[in-house]
Amino acid sequence: EGSGVFDYRIVTPWEMGVGIGYEGTNLTAAFDMHYADWSQLSLDADAYNFAAENAETRQNLREQLQTRFSLSYRLGNLTWRGGWTTVPDVRLNPTDAVDRTRQYQSTGLSYQLGEGATLDLSWIRTNRDDAYAPYVEVNEAPTVAEKVESSRIVLGIRVAF
């Protein structure tokens, strides 16, 4: 009592996914969708009633349908792969009117070095819109809009035993 510390649980919504794929001699393709209703996210605790917070969540979050698509093509010991993913913004009525849907694109090459050993080189790109108010203590402060983009190059060696 009075310590400011208490236990609570975050109850996440059910999530469902479905996908389809094709595997040929050299070509592999896959598509999948992932669904969650984030308005069903809730907080729960024995010592506190989160009714107001849970009602706000139901009013401000929405359903989300993520989609993914990938291709790979194998030619001897070399495999090229590419993929695309979209992750929609789950906020129903964002106060800053910015859609923070994220997009991911990737491509890469794998080279099989021998039995159970593979060298991987990948490039992953992410982009989304964002906004923030640097002067929150000022009425009608300006908002800074930005386009956030990042790229990563990853080099790895896989070894199977």
Side-chain angles (χ1 to χ4, degrees):
E1 173 81 343
S3 69
V5 176
F6 64 95
D7 292 327
Y8 65 95
R9 292 172 294 284
I10 300 173
V11 182
T12 58
W14 283 91
E15 299 180 38
M16 295 177 282
V18 64
I20 188 168
Y22 166 81
E23 188 170 347
T25 305
N26 296 328
L27 180 70
T28 301
F31 175 78
D32 73 86
M33 296 182 298
H34 183 93
Y35 170 84
D37 183 357
W38 288 99
S39 69
Q40 299 303 306
L41 178 84
S42 64
L43 300 173
D44 185 33
D46 296 329
Y48 183 79
N49 183 349
F50 284 102
E53 290 84 355
N54 291 336
E56 185 175 340
T57 297
R58 284 189 295 279
Q59 292 173 356
N60 292 312
L61 297 184
R62 64 179 172 151
E63 299 170 329
Q64 181 188 61
L65 182 64
Q66 297 180 23
T67 53
R68 299 176 185 94
F69 178 73
S70 65
L71 280 175
S72 69
Y73 187 79
R74 183 180 190 114
L75 190 58
N77 288 351
L78 188 67
T79 302
W80 168 85
R81 62 190 178 284
W84 172 83
T85 301
T86 183
V87 181
D89 190 350
V90 298
R91 299 169 308 146
L92 191 56
N93 298 304
T95 56
D96 56 18
V98 175
D99 180 1
R100 286 189 172 85
T101 295
R102 293 170 296 182
Q103 300 284 336
Y104 299 89
Q105 301 87 31
S106 66
T107 190
L109 291 172
S110 295
Y111 184 77
Q112 189 166 358
L113 300 169
E115 186 67 31
T118 306
L119 178 67
D120 291 312
L121 177 65
S122 300
W123 172 70
I124 303 135
R125 178 179 181 268
T126 305
N127 63 304
R128 66 179 169 83
D129 291 335
D130 201 357
Y132 70 97
Y135 309 106
V136 293
E137 66 279 349
V138 177
N139 288 336
E140 297 183 32
T143 300
V144 177
E146 59 186 350
K147 185 165 190 68
V148 180
E149 296 183 1
S150 66
S151 288
R152 285 188 305 174
I153 296 176
V154 179
L155 178 62
I157 296 177
R158 287 185 284 148
V159 180
F161 297 94

